[in-house]
Amino acid sequence: MSTGKRLAKRSIIGTRVCAPGEDGKYYSGVIHAVKTPASYSENNNCINLTPNTRYSVRFDSRQGNLGRVTAEFRETDLIGPGFRSITGIELVPGQKTYVTYNGREVAGEVVKHHFENDEVFITICPPGCEGPFEVQKRLEEVRLLESRKSARLADQDTDFARLADMAGDRKRTASHTIDVPAPSHHFG
């Protein structure tokens, strides 16, 4: 039995999720504790998990959840990997979101959400744009969490995906013929 403080490979601790705030918006954070009430079975003394499991979420910023740094939530309240998806919730105006625009992830803010039509109107301002403008997306195209970026690349401004695309352009413009040297015959 290991006594170290290393987390199990499939531990839920450290998972990035979004949790509802008191204003109806969802805010990003990290699960830092799981509180599971247990009941003992009479016949085999094993622990049975009950549906009252609470997840303690540490928010990314204090402003994020109206001054709270941490809060507890049920599994059904959380959005993220291993929990609920964004489909089935109604986004409120001002909700911070992420969408893909011209092949790049762009942060935006919800203007309105027509839940019955599955239309979300989001104001975005991509890099190199003169000013913000509105785009219309389906709810399943909207993300509440920023896509993960390698910690090694987090502080770099270089977009390596674009560099890779440029390399692909060079390959397409290359000659379609291959110069192969003639075989040389050396005897003896």
Side-chain angles (χ1 to χ4, degrees):
M1 174 105 191
S2 174
T3 58
K5 294 192 176 200
R6 186 169 173 254
L7 296 173
K9 188 172 186 176
R10 300 194 189 276
S11 175
I12 200 83
I13 306 289
T15 301
R16 294 202 51 77
V17 295
C18 282
E22 296 165 355
D23 57 357
K25 296 178 188 173
Y26 284 83
Y27 297 99
S28 62
V30 176
I31 294 177
H32 75 96
V34 179
K35 298 180 181 178
T36 309
S39 64
Y40 290 91
S41 171
E42 287 94 26
N43 43 356
N44 61 4
N45 286 340
C46 69
I47 297 175
N48 296 321
L49 301 180
T50 62
N52 296 327
T53 301
R54 308 288 286 179
Y55 298 90
S56 184
V57 175
R58 180 178 295 129
F59 292 101
D60 294 340
S61 65
R62 282 183 185 245
Q63 73 167 24
N65 204 10
L66 304 177
R68 295 190 294 177
V69 177
T70 62
E72 289 184 9
F73 298 94
R74 295 182 318 241
E75 181 177 355
T76 56
D77 296 331
L78 300 177
I79 295 176
F83 297 97
R84 289 178 54 197
S85 71
I86 194 170
T87 56
I89 66 166
E90 189 164 358
L91 299 176
V92 297
Q95 171 71 55
K96 185 173 184 176
T97 59
Y98 297 91
V99 295
T100 302
Y101 182 78
N102 285 342
R104 299 188 80 167
E105 183 173 68
V106 179
E109 203 171 276
V110 172
V111 176
K112 58 186 166 191
H113 179 192
H114 292 204
F115 187 71
E116 52 286 335
N117 298 343
D118 190 31
E119 297 173 335
V120 183
F121 295 89
I122 301 170
T123 301
I124 63 171
C125 187
C129 181
E130 286 95 40
F133 60 95
E134 196 172 287
V135 294
Q136 177 184 345
K137 296 284 185 176
R138 292 189 332 258
L139 185 58
E140 54 267 7
E141 295 175 308
V142 177
R143 296 178 299 281
L144 296 179
L145 290 170
E146 190 173 12
S147 296
R148 287 186 51 160
K149 191 174 188 181
S150 166
R152 183 175 55 84
L153 302 175
D155 296 331
Q156 294 183 355
D157 292 332
T158 306
D159 185 0
F160 292 99
R162 291 240 184 244
L163 292 174
D165 287 345
M166 293 174 72
D169 291 341
R170 279 184 294 212
K171 289 178 187 172
R172 281 191 286 274
T173 60
S175 171
H176 292 290
T177 61
I178 299 173
D179 295 331
V180 178
S184 62
H185 299 286
H186 296 284
F187 296 103

